[in-house]
Amino acid sequence: MYTAKGHLDRDAMLRQYVPLVRRLAHHMIAKLPPNVEVDDLIQVGMMGLAEALSRFQASQGVQFETFATQRIRGAMIDELREGDWMSRGSRKSQKDIEHAVRRLEQVLGRSPLESEIAAELGMPLDDYQSLLAKVRGTQLVYLEDMAAGQEDDSFLDRHVGDGDADPMQQLRDQRLRQSLVEAIKGLPEREQYIMSMYYENDMNLKEIAAVLGITESRVCQLHSQSIARLRAKMRHH
């Protein structure tokens, strides 16, 4: 888009790519705890978009949307790095849920029910569901799963991914991909739908909630639970 004088129309470009910023923010928010506001991510993402407009050179042979996506996501991650947005307590809770799921699967020989996971953790179902909301959304595969002694690595790097790479790129290994496919098939049916809509169809939590006829917070809980189930299955791959 250019002005009558042949200059790049920055305002028009900003308006055109606002939906991209919103989509990236809504997709990323599912990987973050409730204290992170999507509007804050959008605001930071717009700054990343403005930077992309000032730095983009068509001669580099990269499409602007690809270049902008990297800059927008990178700006969001840089902003998140500035704060201690996830406590060690929340990280421990994630691992506690995962370990409970794995223990129950070994005993029951199937995917445990929510009520069974809650009982294994020694808490009422309502408290367990609240805990799921607090630790919502994590990446399917952490770097720590592939190498020991990574406890001090950046939690944000593991869970959200680099600004210039899709988080799912960690699943490039074909054996790991196949194991993941099989693990997803073992999820309860509704959780399979959620994972498919979120990761394959790139739908955000609000859109998934509308399809399933449940609340967005409930989708968030089930997404977190699905991740715990998958990580329990995938840990040894």
Side-chain angles (χ1 to χ4, degrees):
M1 295 183 177
Y2 295 89
T3 63
K5 295 183 178 180
H7 299 301
L8 187 67
D9 192 335
R10 288 173 54 85
D11 290 341
M13 291 285 284
L14 282 172
R15 289 193 298 271
Q16 179 179 346
Y17 286 97
V18 166
L20 173 63
V21 175
R22 291 184 177 277
R23 180 172 61 81
L24 291 172
H26 280 284
H27 202 259
M28 185 178 289
I29 200 70
K31 302 179 178 70
L32 301 170
N35 62 295
V36 180
E37 297 288 343
V38 69
D39 287 344
D40 292 339
L41 285 182
I42 291 172
Q43 182 176 358
V44 173
M46 289 300 297
M47 295 170 63
L49 174 59
E51 181 187 5
L53 283 170
S54 65
R55 292 178 177 270
F56 179 71
Q57 295 180 2
S59 59
Q60 293 175 339
V62 179
Q63 289 187 345
F64 177 74
E65 183 167 336
T66 300
F67 182 80
T69 296
Q70 295 173 357
R71 291 287 176 175
I72 293 165
R73 188 182 287 127
M76 293 176 182
I77 292 173
D78 286 344
E79 178 69 14
L80 292 167
R81 283 197 179 104
E82 294 296 320
D84 183 15
W85 58 274
M86 191 164 199
S87 69
R88 287 187 176 272
S90 293
R91 302 178 201 183
K92 180 180 182 300
S93 294
Q94 288 181 326
K95 292 183 181 296
D96 288 344
I97 294 171
E98 177 192 336
H99 294 161
V101 169
R102 187 162 63 250
R103 288 193 300 269
L104 287 170
E105 285 184 341
Q106 291 172 348
V107 172
L108 301 172
R110 59 170 172 78
S111 293
L113 303 174
E114 275 185 288
S115 57
E116 293 170 333
I117 300 173
E120 179 69 15
L121 291 169
M123 60 178 62
L125 180 58
D126 288 348
D127 289 350
Y128 169 61
Q129 291 176 339
S130 296
L131 184 63
L132 284 174
K134 291 178 182 177
V135 301
R136 74 181 184 187
T138 61
Q139 196 166 317
L140 291 177
V141 178
Y142 303 164
L143 296 180
E144 69 182 31
D145 295 335
M146 303 178 186
Q150 303 295 322
E151 189 63 29
D152 293 332
D153 282 357
S154 169
F155 185 80
L156 185 62
D157 289 338
R158 295 202 305 269
H159 286 243
V160 180
D162 294 331
D164 59 356
D166 190 292
M168 296 301 286
Q169 286 180 355
Q170 290 188 17
L171 302 180
R172 282 177 174 173
D173 179 82
Q174 189 59 40
R175 183 182 64 84
L176 193 59
R177 284 178 179 273
Q178 187 58 42
S179 298
L180 177 60
V181 169
E182 294 302 317
I184 290 176
K185 290 179 180 178
L187 292 174
E189 186 175 34
R190 184 158 60 167
E191 292 180 30
Q192 286 188 47
Y193 289 150
I194 289 173
M195 298 301 284
S196 175
M197 285 185 280
Y198 185 78
Y199 288 103
E200 294 181 22
N201 299 325
D202 201 27
M203 296 170 65
N204 60 47
L205 300 184
K206 184 176 181 179
E207 292 169 337
I208 296 172
V211 170
L212 295 180
I214 57 179
T215 65
E216 187 174 344
S217 62
R218 182 58 178 154
V219 174
C220 174
Q221 292 170 1
L222 292 172
H223 177 264
S224 293
Q225 184 167 261
S226 299
I227 295 295
R229 293 187 196 274
L230 292 173
R231 282 182 43 73
K233 292 178 181 295
M234 297 291 293
R235 179 168 287 276
H236 300 297
H237 290 280

